[in-house]
Every structure is written in C-alpha cells, then in structure tokens.
Amino acid sequence: MNTTDLLVGVILGLLPISEVRGAIPYVLIVMDGFNARIIGITLSILANLLVPFIAYPILDLLDHLVKSRFTPSFIKNFYNWLLQLGRKRSLGLRRTSYIALSLFVGIPLPVTGAWTGTLVAYVLGFDRKKSILAIEIGVLIASVIVLLVAYLGIDVLAKLFLAL
C-alpha cells in the first residue's frame, strides 16, 4: 500500500472541487488490492466528512473579518444584505430544508458537495448541529453513488478494453 496514494486520496476528499467525487475514483484506479482500496476509500470519505468542521470556522473567521471596523461599509452592507436575504427566504423551508440539504450534498455533481452545502447552511442561518448532520448524510449518499458508478464503470471499461 502506497502512503502517497493514500495521502492524495485524503487530500482529494478534502478539496472543494473533488471531494468524494474525485477521491473514490482515484483510489479505485490507483490502488491495488482490495484491502488497500477499502482503506483508501474509507480515509477519503472520512476526510470529506471533516469538511463542515473545517468550513464553519473559516466562515466564522470571514464573518468576523467582514464585520471588523477596518472593512469598508459597502462590503459590510452587501454582506449583511446577502445574509438577511438568505435567512428571510429560508424561514418557510426550515422543516424540509435539512432533507433538501442532504440531497443537495448527496447528488454527486460539481458544486453540490460538503463545502457548498456548508456555505448554503451558513448563509441561510440553519442550525449548525442539524446542518452538519444533514451534510454528513449527504456525503455518505454521494459516497455510495460515486463508489457504485466508479466501480461499475471501471469494471465495464476494463472488460471492454482488456477483451480487445
């Protein structure tokens, strides 16, 4: 088992663009052996599950910086307007919004991962604990979908091209 490949899988799991959508296929393609793949996939998923715990403090820091006395007032006004707009629009959706957040994160398409889900939950003013749980469920849903599609796709491609 190559530790560099494991590290790349973990980093891909953490990165905003790739998340599990890039990490799982990478691990399946690069790592040899069932056990190595299981460890790589598990670590990649765990890395992606850490995203809300990294993103929320970053968003809190940005919030603090924007609200500081050194930030120009037009930036503060725009930021406050954006937060108020998002939070006002989310008031009627609170009960179903956590399910929608899970599904949004769980659909493995570009810009629908844990980073964006955390940003959406932050802007809409969702409860942190509930939104983290919803995001984690979404990451697990996306992981299962990506694993199935990637594994089946790699298997089909291998049979097609190795049969030639």
Side-chain angles (χ1 to χ4, degrees), residues 13-69:
L14 279 172
L15 287 175
I17 301 296
S18 57
E19 299 191 27
V20 292
R21 294 156 201 69
I24 290 174
Y26 173 82
V27 167
L28 286 174
I29 291 169
V30 172
M31 301 195 81
D32 292 325
F34 181 77
N35 289 338
R37 285 181 175 170
I38 292 296
I39 292 169
I41 289 168
T42 302
L43 290 176
S44 298
I45 293 169
L46 289 174
N48 200 207
L49 289 170
L50 288 175
V51 166
F53 300 101
I54 297 168
Y56 268 119
I58 292 171
L59 291 168
D60 287 336
L61 177 64
L62 289 173
D63 185 67
H64 179 71
L65 291 173
V66 167
K67 292 179 179 176
S68 79
R69 63 185 175 138

Side-chain angles (χ1 to χ4, degrees), residues 54-140:
I54 297 168
Y56 268 119
I58 292 171
L59 291 168
D60 287 336
L61 177 64
L62 289 173
D63 185 67
H64 179 71
L65 291 173
V66 167
K67 292 179 179 176
S68 79
R69 63 185 175 138
F70 301 110
T71 304
S73 62
F74 73 92
I75 293 175
K76 285 182 188 179
N77 291 338
F78 176 73
Y79 178 77
N80 289 328
W81 172 80
L82 184 66
L83 286 180
Q84 288 174 355
L85 178 68
R87 291 177 180 167
K88 188 186 332 177
R89 294 208 175 173
S90 73
L91 289 176
L93 304 170
R94 289 293 165 114
R95 292 192 178 163
T96 58
S97 57
Y98 297 104
I99 295 168
L101 182 61
S102 286
L103 293 175
F104 174 78
V105 173
I107 297 170
L109 294 172
V111 196
T112 62
W115 285 97
T116 307
T118 305
L119 178 62
V120 167
Y122 190 85
V123 169
L124 295 179
F126 289 178
D127 178 76
R128 273 192 197 197
K129 289 180 182 178
K130 290 178 184 177
S131 63
I132 288 173
L133 179 62
I135 292 164
E136 304 289 283
I137 291 169
V139 167
L140 295 175

